[in-house]
């Protein structure tokens, strides 16, 4: 197919949308060399574009707040960067049904129904690119779909939320409380005014669901992934983590177990000999383990305008090549039914209790663990002045998650607890 240009429609002129529009304008010549034709941004849809500084945009680009006008515009590639459900869902499905190329960073929509969107693209011979939906500027989607497709992926795990990684890194470095560090993250632009999506682990679950679809062919929904956030962590946990030669990281983990898949989002104690323990600040990292290749790590900026724009425009370039029959779009093969094992994986565990000190506490803890056939590894107690609110840590040998959670429920009910205990898996290999 011989084309004189590739016409692009952009929905959303926020931080990422603005960065994408600037990249398309500023690197137009280089991108034309990559694709063989000019990439021309022709229309931008934004409900409040008149409130934004748009004087830098060429006058021939049509700005509109009318969704109907946006969708009627003749284009080859539709870029959706609005986020949320509507009108993003309508934009994506309409463009796919018209056989257009679609590029999106909407992890929420994709995580809920990736199988449906890929099927729609295949049925209408359309293109669907979503590199920016997971880990911003890190090319993990392309790696899983192309570079690593010859291997049998057995495990994917990683730090998938820069906001949480910044908070945890700062708590470890400064010894400050969660609420203090969250306030700093908000001042510095790393956390939203309402950080719930990030700190609850839900954002990580969305991204892990997409990685499961691509790495294992299992289109899980985020609701199938057991998810624990970071809000229960206290400065004393970082003190004990340091004592155990570990860092605390919020991880998304998916691993093949026989014919099923064990998945989880949780804060982990990560031993410092592992590379993931050293990923700090707002960085993301994804570790992929193949049966033949072994483990490789992808790390970099997982959010922000420019890093995410690089992934979006890379998808635009690939879509432009597809439009000219210079590249093919192969939707990944997804199994129609996904099975998620919620709690069969085994880990060593960290149990932090805060108690009113009295004789027999360790014996009571050991008795409960023994009743569940859980092997005690160590008891760690730092010097503490307040004996009425004394924190100490018990670690146990590798134990199935279901068993550990049942034992932990009994530990949580003991009458000497003065605040809720904390249970964290330990990643040591």
């Amino acid at each position: 197919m011989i084309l004189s240009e590739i016409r692009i429609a952009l929905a959303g002129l926020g931080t990422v949308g603005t960065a994408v529009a600037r990249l398309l304008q500023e690197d137009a010549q280089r991108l034309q060399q990559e694709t063989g034709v000019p990439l021309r941004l022709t229309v931008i849809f934004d409900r409040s574009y008149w409130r934004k500084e748009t004087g830098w945009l060429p006058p021939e680009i049509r700005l509109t707040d009318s969704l109907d006008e946006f969708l009627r515009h003749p284009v080859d590639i539709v870029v959706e960067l609005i986020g949320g459900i509507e009108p993003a869902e309508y934009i994506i499905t309409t463009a796919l049904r018209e056989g257009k190329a679609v590029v999106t960073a909407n992890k929420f929509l994709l995580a809920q129904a990736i199988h449906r969107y890929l099927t729609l693209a295949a049925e209408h011979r359309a293109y669907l690119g979503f590199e920016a939906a997971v880990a911003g500027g890190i090319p993990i989607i392309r790696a899983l779909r192309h570079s690593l497709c010859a291997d049998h992926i057995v495990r994917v795990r990683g730090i998938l939320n820069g906001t949480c990684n910044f908070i945890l890194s700062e708590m470890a470095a400064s010894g400050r409380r969660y609420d203090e560090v969250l306030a700093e993250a908000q001042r510095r632009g790393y956390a939203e005014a309402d950080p719930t999506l990030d700190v609850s682990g839900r954002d990580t679950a969305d991204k892990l669901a997409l990685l499961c679809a691509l790495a294992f062919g299992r289109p899980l929904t985020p609701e199938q992934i057991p998810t624990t956030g970071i809000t229960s962590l206290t400065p004393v946990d970082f003190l004990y983590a340091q004592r155990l030669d570990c860092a605390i990281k919020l991880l998304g983990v998916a691993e093949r177990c026989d014919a099923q898949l064990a998945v989880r989002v949780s804060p982990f104690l990560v031993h410092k000999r592992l590379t993931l323990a050293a990923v700090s600040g707002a960085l993301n990292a994804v570790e992929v383990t193949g049966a033949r290749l072994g483990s490789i790590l992808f790390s970099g900026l997982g959010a922000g305008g420019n890093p995410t724009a690089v992934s979006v425009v890379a998808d635009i370039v690939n879509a432009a090549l597809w439009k000219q029959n210079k590249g093919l779009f192969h939707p990944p093969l997804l199994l129609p039914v996904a099975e998620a094992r919620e709690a069969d994986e085994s880990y060593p565990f960290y149990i932090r209790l805060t108690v009113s000190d009295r004789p027999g506490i360790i014996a009571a803890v050991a008795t409960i663990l023994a009743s569940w056939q859980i092997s005690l590894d160590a008891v760690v107690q730092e010097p503490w002045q307040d004996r009425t609110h004394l924190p100490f840590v018990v670690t146990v040998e590798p134990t199935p998650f279901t068993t550990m959670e049942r034992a932990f429920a009994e530990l949580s009910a003991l009458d000497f607890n003065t605040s809720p205990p904390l249970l964290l898996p330990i990643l040591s290999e």
Side-chain angles (χ1 to χ4, degrees):
M1 185 181 299
I2 300 175
L3 298 174
S4 60
E5 63 181 10
I6 299 290
R7 301 160 298 176
I8 302 167
L10 170 64
L13 199 58
T15 300
V16 176
T18 297
V20 167
R22 286 190 180 278
L23 201 162
L24 289 172
Q25 303 305 311
E26 294 169 4
D27 283 18
Q29 184 175 354
R30 180 178 60 82
L31 295 173
Q32 181 174 343
Q33 292 173 346
E34 292 281 346
T35 61
V37 293
L39 303 182
R40 188 161 70 89
L41 181 58
T42 62
V43 60
I44 297 175
F45 166 74
D46 191 285
R47 297 286 194 194
S48 57
Y49 74 86
W50 61 88
R51 299 177 185 170
K52 300 172 181 178
E53 173 53 49
T54 58
W56 54 274
L57 287 168
E60 62 269 20
I61 296 177
R62 173 65 177 164
L63 290 163
T64 181
D65 59 0
S66 167
L67 182 59
D68 288 339
E69 180 184 358
F70 174 77
L71 293 174
R72 286 198 307 268
H73 217 80
V75 297
D76 306 294
I77 301 173
V78 175
V79 182
E80 184 279 308
L81 298 175
I82 298 174
I85 300 174
E86 290 296 350
E89 157 81 9
Y90 186 64
I91 291 170
I92 292 171
T93 55
T94 299
L96 290 176
R97 287 192 177 104
E98 293 175 353
K100 295 176 180 176
V102 173
V103 174
T104 180
N106 198 324
K107 57 184 173 289
F108 177 79
L109 276 184
L110 293 173
Q112 294 293 329
I114 183 62
H115 190 275
R116 180 165 64 88
Y117 291 115
L118 288 169
T119 300
L120 198 61
E123 288 176 349
H124 296 275
R125 298 176 180 261
Y127 177 100
L128 179 61
F130 49 96
E131 183 66 63
V134 179
I138 301 173
I140 185 62
I141 302 297
R142 189 163 289 107
L144 288 172
R145 290 179 62 178
H146 299 288
S147 304
L148 303 178
C149 65
D151 204 354
H152 182 73
I153 305 301
V154 297
R155 184 178 67 208
V156 175
R157 64 188 184 190
I159 297 165
L160 303 176
N161 185 278
T163 297
C164 289
N165 203 43
F166 173 82
I167 291 171
L168 297 178
S169 299
E170 285 296 308
M171 289 182 72
S174 67
R176 288 180 292 165
R177 298 193 315 269
Y178 164 79
D179 55 348
E180 295 175 344
V181 177
L182 171 60
E184 180 183 343
Q186 290 169 324
R187 287 193 300 270
R188 295 174 62 169
Y190 290 129
E192 301 288 343
D194 179 0
T196 304
L197 187 65
D198 294 317
V199 301
S200 67
R202 283 160 44 203
D203 175 77
T204 298
D206 286 344
K207 296 170 182 175
L208 184 63
L210 285 175
L211 292 178
C212 286
L214 298 174
F216 308 110
R218 300 297 178 90
L220 301 179
T221 65
E223 290 73 25
Q224 292 176 277
I225 301 175
T227 300
T228 303
I230 66 171
T231 56
S232 297
L233 294 164
T234 66
V236 75
D237 295 311
F238 294 87
L239 175 67
Y240 279 111
Q242 180 67 28
R243 175 83 177 267
L244 295 168
D245 202 26
C246 292
I248 299 177
K249 300 294 179 184
L250 181 73
L251 299 183
V253 179
E255 187 167 4
R256 289 185 191 271
C257 295
D258 300 323
Q260 294 179 304
L261 196 63
V263 291
R264 186 166 302 278
V265 171
S266 172
F268 280 73
L269 263 72
V270 182
H271 197 280
K272 289 186 177 177
R273 66 173 171 266
L274 301 180
T275 308
L276 284 172
V279 179
S280 61
L283 294 177
N284 282 197
V286 184
E287 181 188 79
V288 180
T289 301
R292 295 172 178 81
L293 180 64
S295 294
I296 55 175
L297 188 78
F298 300 82
S299 182
L301 291 171
N306 286 329
T308 307
V310 169
S311 290
V312 171
V313 174
D315 273 337
I316 291 172
V317 168
N318 285 321
L321 294 172
W322 164 84
K323 189 70 180 176
Q324 301 172 84
N325 291 329
K326 295 179 180 179
L328 299 177
F329 173 62
H330 297 291
L333 177 64
L334 300 183
L335 302 178
V337 178
E339 297 179 53
R341 290 207 334 204
E342 293 192 355
D344 284 325
E345 70 273 40
S346 292
Y347 292 102
F349 284 92
Y350 162 104
I351 307 165
R352 185 255 296 153
L353 299 106
T354 307
V355 303
S356 178
D357 196 21
R358 70 189 194 202
I361 288 177
I362 299 298
V365 171
T367 298
I368 289 175
L369 294 176
S371 72
W372 288 97
Q373 298 185 326
I374 298 172
S375 298
L376 185 65
D377 177 44
V379 177
V380 186
Q381 182 177 321
E382 290 289 320
W384 208 261
Q385 291 185 343
D386 185 1
R387 310 300 291 184
T388 65
H389 200 68
L390 174 68
F392 72 98
V393 164
V394 173
T395 61
V396 302
E397 298 290 344
T399 304
F401 228 109
T402 45
T403 303
M404 189 67 251
E405 288 179 324
R406 290 166 183 160
F408 183 70
E410 291 189 20
L411 293 173
S412 300
L414 293 170
D415 62 1
F416 47 67
N417 289 308
T418 58
S419 64
L422 179 71
L423 177 69
L424 297 178
I426 300 173
L427 204 63
S428 56
E429 60 181 11

